[in-house]
């Protein structure tokens, strides 16, 4: 099976812009989770989608949003970018059971100037 | 909410030696899984080992094993016969009721030839 893919791998944006990141899970996986990784805050959970519905949400402002399509692919959107949004954004998929291993994509490196 | 503590920000080990990375957590759940993930310089998160909380026996995966003490809420990772390829950030992750994974701050492991 192909692994989790994320596009684009690298992005450079300026403050105030918006950005959309994409994640394609492993075939058959229904859960997609997003994480933000920064040197200061470490790995933080953004949200999880399961069968096109947001199942869990972390403690991030409303500028961060996401969605999941019927083929389980997911997108994450960040509006009105701030310098502090510069981070590695990781996507992970799993079959959906809470105790399943999560399979991670390579990440999207977002730089906000 | 679960909290996870990895008290060793950095560790080093000589090649072929053994090293133990510590992790403690807090949870109100009784049945759960715990995970150790590895993140090498490529940034790809890779599952190292998984432990089921209801199992008495400690999980083992080749050179990697855990010392799981449920009452003490401790979940340490032992790496035997360390290899250069083991150099990475290691994250402890017990799942919480709200999020798929809650990560510790990580331990950066260096392997000295």
């Amino acid at each position: 099976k192909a692994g989790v893919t994320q596009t684009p791998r690298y992005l450079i944006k300026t403050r105030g812009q918006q950005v959309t990141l994409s994640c394609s899970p492993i075939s058959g996986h229904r859960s997609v989770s997003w994480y933000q990784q920064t040197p200061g805050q470490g790995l933080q959970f953004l949200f999880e989608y399961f069968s096109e519905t947001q199942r869990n949400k972390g403690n991030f402002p409303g500028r961060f949003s996401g969605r999941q399509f019927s083929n389980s692919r997911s997108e994450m959107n960040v509006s009105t970018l701030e310098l502090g949004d510069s981070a590695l954004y990781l996507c992970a998929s799993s079959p959906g059971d809470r105790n399943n291993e999560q399979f991670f994509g390579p990440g999207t490196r977002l730089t906000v100037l | 909410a679960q909290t996870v503590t990895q008290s060793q920000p950095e560790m080093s080990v000589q090649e072929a030696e053994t090293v133990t990375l510590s992790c403690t957590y807090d949870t109100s759940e009784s049945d759960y899984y715990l995970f150790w993930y590895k993140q090498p310089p490529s940034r790809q998160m890779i599952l190292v080992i998984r432990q089921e909380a209801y199992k008495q026996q400690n999980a083992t995966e080749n050179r990697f094993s855990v010392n799981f003490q449920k009452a003490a809420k401790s979940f340490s990772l032992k790496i035997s016969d360390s290899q250069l390829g083991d150099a990475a950030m290691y994250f402890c992750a017990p799942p919480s009721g709200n999020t798929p994974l809650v990560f510790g701050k990580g331990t950066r492991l260096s392997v000295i030839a």
Side-chain angles (χ1 to χ4, degrees), chain A residues 9 33 35 37 40-43 45 48 56-58 88 90 98-106 109, chain B residues 31-33 35 37 39 42-47 50 89 91 95-105:
Chain A
R9 294 292 311 278
S33 299
Y35 298 85
Q37 186 175 27
Q41 298 299 317
L43 274 160
F45 170 73
E48 180 202 12
N56 288 298
K57 187 178 188 302
L88 179 68
L90 292 167
R98 179 63 74 238
N99 291 320
N100 284 143
E101 169 191 354
Q102 297 232 327
F103 294 81
F104 284 82
R109 169 75 65 186
Chain B
D31 186 18
Y32 50 90
Y33 281 59
F35 304 86
Y37 280 85
Q39 189 179 39
S42 68
R43 296 298 206 172
Q44 179 74 53
M45 293 282 280
I46 302 163
L47 178 71
R50 165 173 49 197
M89 282 289 289
F91 294 95
S96 77
N98 285 329
T99 65
L101 289 173
V102 175
F103 288 96
K105 292 290 188 183

Side-chain angles (χ1 to χ4, degrees), chain A residues 23-108:
Chain A
C23 172
S24 292
I26 290 172
S27 177
H29 285 189
R30 297 166 65 190
S31 168
V32 174
S33 299
W34 289 89
Y35 298 85
Q36 181 196 64
Q37 186 175 27
T38 60
Q41 298 299 317
L43 274 160
Q44 293 185 288
F45 170 73
L46 280 155
F47 30 66
E48 180 202 12
Y49 285 86
F50 179 80
S51 294
E52 301 180 64
T53 302
Q54 188 180 83
R55 184 157 72 172
N56 288 298
K57 187 178 188 302
N59 188 26
F60 277 81
R63 300 184 298 105
F64 292 81
S65 63
R67 60 178 175 168
Q68 187 179 33
F69 302 95
S70 58
N71 62 358
S72 291
R73 189 178 70 86
S74 177
E75 288 181 348
M76 190 192 95
N77 184 274
V78 188
S79 62
T80 319
L81 283 165
E82 300 177 359
L83 295 180
D85 297 334
S86 295
L88 179 68
Y89 290 88
L90 292 167
C91 164
S93 77
S94 79
D97 186 302
R98 179 63 74 238
N99 291 320
N100 284 143
E101 169 191 354
Q102 297 232 327
F103 294 81
F104 284 82
T108 294

Side-chain angles (χ1 to χ4, degrees), chain B residues 21-75:
Chain B
L21 311 183
S22 66
C23 172
T24 58
Y25 58 95
D26 185 27
T27 181
S28 57
E29 298 178 45
S30 58
D31 186 18
Y32 50 90
Y33 281 59
L34 304 105
F35 304 86
W36 275 98
Y37 280 85
K38 165 185 174 179
Q39 189 179 39
S42 68
R43 296 298 206 172
Q44 179 74 53
M45 293 282 280
I46 302 163
L47 178 71
V48 175
I49 198 164
R50 165 173 49 197
Q51 172 75 45
E52 299 167 37
Y54 67 89
K55 285 190 175 179
Q56 302 264 350
Q57 189 173 5
N58 289 324
T60 300
E61 195 70 43
N62 300 317
R63 297 182 295 106
F64 299 87
S65 62
V66 301
N67 181 5
F68 174 53
Q69 298 179 26
K70 189 174 183 180
K73 295 178 183 176
S74 170
F75 180 55

